[in-house]
Amino acid sequence: MKIENIYVKKLVSQYREISLLNNVSALLSWDLEVNLPSRAMEARSAQSAYLTKLTSDKWLDTDFKKTLEKAQEARNLNAHEKAIVRNLVQGAKFYHRVPQETIVNLSETTSKAFFAWREAREKNKYKLFEPHLKKVIALSKIIAEHIGYSDKPYDALLDMYEPGFTTKEGKVIFGSLVKELGALLTKIKKSQAYLIDENKLLTTEYSPTYQKQIADFVLNKIGYDFSAGRMDVAAHPFTIELGAGDVRITNRYSPHNFIESVMVAMHEGGHALYEQGIVREFDGTPLAGGVSLGIHESQSRFWENQVGRSREFVEFLEPVLKAFYQKELNAETAESLSKAFNMVRPSLIRVEADEVTYNLHIALRFELEEAIINGKIKVEDLPEVWRTKMKKYLGVEPKSDSEGVLQDVHWSHGSFGYFPTYTLGNLYAAQFTFFMKRELALAKLIREGDFGTILSWQRKNIHQYGSLYWPKELVKRVTGKPLSPDYFLDYLKKKYSEMYSL
Ligand code: MG
């Protein structure tokens, strides 16, 4: 990477302080999720809020702003310099366009909304959350106006999580997913295999100590570098980058579900491999880190689903699982294990959903967000609309709002526009895999446990570039085509038609 333009050079050096502050903030959140004593919550909130203020001061610094303007006017920038300026303009949008009092207001409103949401979910009383949600939505709309958009207000929010993604594109993608996945689900539910109870594997107990050892084994195998990270326990697993050479993951061990911790290891491991595979010269610059939430999620979904839930991976893992759980899994075969890894069951809870139903949960959220932000439905009506859509898309109906509209934390944080990136991740993953298979004998590599060859392909085509190419550009470079839901739908139809003998 050659940075020659004097303004870009200056920006890179000014940005290094923002990057350092981000790393320290990340360390505080990691510690909060993994280690924090219960009485330290208030002090930790104050510490984090102070760092957030310091970071926002850096973005708002007059000299930084002026330098960024100069860099935007500069001609003849090389590809790296252009990407640095583009990423900084994107990152600065929120700070430079939204008035500071609105940002402070948002932070106060969302921290109150979070506690109200938690109480409302515990007591199953949507009314406790409703007034807070109203405020968060009103602020999100104000923010969308400040940030600006060319078509719909929701576009401004979507763009913050997935640069360039719009309401219009979302409608096409989710429209086709709702139709096609609905049809596939109907077929599966009528099949003979669906009617047989396959859940007996998850009724006995599986030692959490062994689960951790299996997760360690899997992570080592796929190439996660433990000398540049670590795995701890957290209630809601996540991956976090704390600086160069420090990408941490978390896992959880449910006594009755040994499959979950393997899948979490693959999923979070996938996120971590992306971060660990970015060229080191990008460290601390605006080119560091995965390029978007959607692309990041594609790397985790690839390892979790395309690899981890494949028949070949189950065959690879079977002897390992049986070595640990001799008695429990004695009677199982690769066939029965593979079914347990891939069982389709429409459920009320997004985070427990299988590959076929998962994106229907996201479609519902996308449609509700779009309707709320673009002013088509009222906050009071959300629980009812939620129930109706669940019934229509998944054939199940929540009996309480805790299982329905109150199940996710995202809206209390004000993260409107975030949910669609989960689905984008699944779609990108399927499209990348389709093209990866033109160069690699993927199934054979997985069965033989040759994950290094797969990782090398990802590093060469995706990981190394960090945030150099934006999502649309990256997908085009790797696959030669724009994003399409067809690769994902074809993959699902083929896999589940075989599994359920449709
Ligand atoms: Mg993820």
Side-chain angles (χ1 to χ4, degrees):
M1 172 168 67
K2 264 208 181 107
I3 308 293
E4 278 156 348
N5 180 280
I6 50 158
Y7 300 114
V8 181
K9 239 183 206 164
K10 196 170 168 195
L11 285 172
V12 168
S13 111
Q14 288 172 320
Y15 179 79
R16 205 162 286 275
E17 293 183 34
I18 293 180
S19 164
L20 287 169
L21 284 168
N22 287 343
N23 292 159
V24 182
S25 278
L27 179 57
L28 289 188
S29 347
W30 172 83
D31 180 66
L32 180 142
E33 300 285 338
V34 172
N35 287 321
L36 200 72
S38 60
R39 283 167 62 189
M41 199 65 190
E42 215 171 301
R44 177 54 44 89
S45 301
Q47 293 155 4
S48 292
Y50 181 64
L51 280 175
T52 306
K53 193 198 161 291
L54 291 184
T55 311
S56 130
D57 288 347
K58 296 276 173 215
W59 282 104
L60 289 166
D61 178 78
T62 340
D63 186 37
F64 179 73
K65 245 175 133 171
K66 267 191 202 145
T67 316
L68 187 55
E69 277 161 20
K70 291 268 187 230
Q72 276 177 273
E73 289 158 12
R75 308 220 169 253
N76 303 324
L77 298 183
N78 66 38
H80 287 95
E81 292 170 330
K82 273 186 198 156
I84 287 169
V85 175
R86 179 205 61 197
N87 289 355
L88 288 176
V89 169
Q90 175 77 0
K93 252 189 208 173
F94 183 72
Y95 298 99
H96 291 177
R97 297 187 189 174
V98 183
Q100 226 182 348
E101 70 251 32
T102 309
I103 297 181
V104 173
N105 193 352
L106 178 74
S107 136
E108 286 167 5
T109 307
T110 51
S111 54
K112 282 182 199 150
F114 169 72
F115 290 107
W117 165 77
R118 215 166 53 174
E119 198 193 343
R121 195 173 73 154
E122 264 166 38
K123 296 184 176 163
N124 187 30
K125 272 192 185 151
Y126 177 69
K127 285 284 165 202
L128 293 176
F129 182 46
E130 192 188 275
H132 295 273
L133 183 57
K134 270 189 183 165
K135 282 186 199 160
V136 176
I137 290 168
L139 276 168
S140 301
K141 286 183 183 175
I142 292 171
I143 288 169
E145 293 305 322
H146 284 298
I147 289 179
Y149 49 85
S150 54
D151 189 10
K152 296 273 195 278
Y154 189 36
D155 294 349
L157 306 178
L158 289 169
D159 180 75
M160 285 205 282
Y161 300 101
E162 196 68 12
F165 187 62
T166 63
T167 310
K168 205 172 155 194
E169 283 173 283
K171 282 190 170 175
V172 174
I173 286 175
F174 285 106
S176 124
L177 290 176
V178 164
K179 190 170 151 258
E180 302 275 335
L181 294 177
L184 179 61
L185 183 59
T186 307
K187 274 195 206 162
I188 291 175
K189 280 163 88 175
K190 282 186 192 150
S191 73
Q192 208 44 42
Y194 182 83
L195 302 170
I196 305 165
D197 178 25
E198 296 150 328
N199 221 347
K200 61 181 196 315
L201 263 183
L202 304 182
T203 49
T204 180
E205 281 207 20
Y206 298 90
S207 141
T209 316
Y210 289 165
Q211 287 191 40
K212 159 117 181 23
Q213 288 174 26
I214 294 166
D216 283 337
F217 167 83
V218 159
L219 284 162
N220 272 311
K221 272 284 166 190
I222 66 174
Y224 176 71
D225 180 359
F226 275 96
S227 71
R230 48 184 287 138
M231 177 169 65
D232 294 272
V233 173
H236 304 284
F238 61 93
T239 302
I240 195 161
E241 214 249 323
L242 305 180
D246 196 354
V247 184
R248 302 187 189 185
I249 60 181
T250 54
N251 205 334
R252 65 173 165 213
Y253 309 104
S254 322
H256 290 286
N257 193 345
F258 72 97
I259 298 173
E260 186 187 30
S261 55
V262 174
M263 288 307 143
V264 169
M266 294 293 276
H267 182 100
E268 304 308 333
H271 280 301
L273 289 176
Y274 187 10
E275 291 293 327
Q276 289 186 337
I278 297 168
V279 289
R280 294 278 67 96
E281 62 175 345
F282 289 177
D283 284 341
T285 76
L287 300 182
V291 67
S292 71
L293 289 178
I295 297 292
H296 231 300
E297 191 69 4
S298 77
Q299 299 311 290
S300 63
R301 293 291 180 172
F302 169 78
W303 286 100
E304 179 193 354
N305 290 336
Q306 306 276 347
V307 177
R309 290 186 208 276
S310 69
R311 172 63 185 260
E312 293 78 18
F313 187 75
V314 175
E315 283 170 24
F316 162 78
L317 200 62
E318 186 190 356
V320 180
L321 293 173
K322 284 186 170 169
F324 282 100
Y325 299 118
Q326 232 163 353
K327 208 166 72 240
E328 295 86 340
L329 299 179
N330 187 26
E332 303 305 326
T333 59
E335 171 93 23
S336 68
L337 284 169
S338 175
K339 273 202 170 141
F341 272 55
N342 289 288
M343 200 175 64
V344 176
R345 277 290 175 278
S347 79
L348 296 167
I349 309 300
R350 173 183 60 88
V351 294
E352 293 167 5
D354 53 79
E355 276 185 289
V356 174
T357 57
Y358 186 87
N359 297 288
L360 293 169
H361 288 265
I362 304 301
L364 174 150
R365 286 154 178 81
F366 168 80
E367 290 170 8
L368 290 188
E369 288 192 353
E370 192 273 326
I372 294 167
I373 299 298
N374 295 334
K376 293 182 206 156
I377 53 172
K378 288 200 197 114
V379 183
E380 290 85 344
D381 299 333
L382 276 175
E384 190 47 44
V385 184
W386 185 290
R387 272 193 290 276
T388 315
K389 280 196 188 279
M390 275 306 276
K391 185 122 194 258
K392 195 171 154 204
Y393 293 170
L394 286 142
V396 290
E397 204 175 347
K399 289 191 181 61
S400 69
D401 289 336
S402 300
E403 293 179 325
V405 71
L406 290 172
Q407 74 176 262
D408 304 299
V409 68
H410 303 56
W411 290 346
S412 78
H413 290 328
S415 307
F416 288 91
Y418 187 115
F419 281 121
T421 65
Y422 291 127
T423 288
L424 289 175
N426 287 318
L427 304 189
Y428 290 136
Q431 189 160 334
F432 288 147
T433 308
F434 180 89
F435 288 91
M436 180 193 280
K437 280 180 173 168
R438 287 191 173 173
E439 290 169 43
L440 302 181
L442 188 62
K444 184 169 174 282
L445 293 171
I446 296 173
R447 190 181 291 114
E448 289 166 359
D450 183 358
F451 303 110
T453 305
I454 302 170
L455 182 57
S456 299
W457 187 95
Q458 287 186 304
R459 296 228 150 127
K460 184 175 133 237
N461 290 286
I462 301 165
H463 294 177
Q464 60 162 323
Y465 298 116
S467 295
L468 182 60
Y469 304 116
W470 264 7
K472 281 182 180 156
E473 202 183 346
L474 183 69
V475 173
K476 201 75 191 283
R477 281 180 66 96
V478 179
T479 72
K481 300 252 169 15
L483 177 69
S484 156
D486 295 346
Y487 300 96
F488 176 70
L489 287 167
D490 289 346
Y491 152 76
L492 276 193
K493 282 180 201 163
K494 184 169 180 293
K495 175 170 172 179
Y496 287 89
S497 294
E498 278 166 23
M499 190 156 286
Y500 283 88
S501 320
L502 304 179

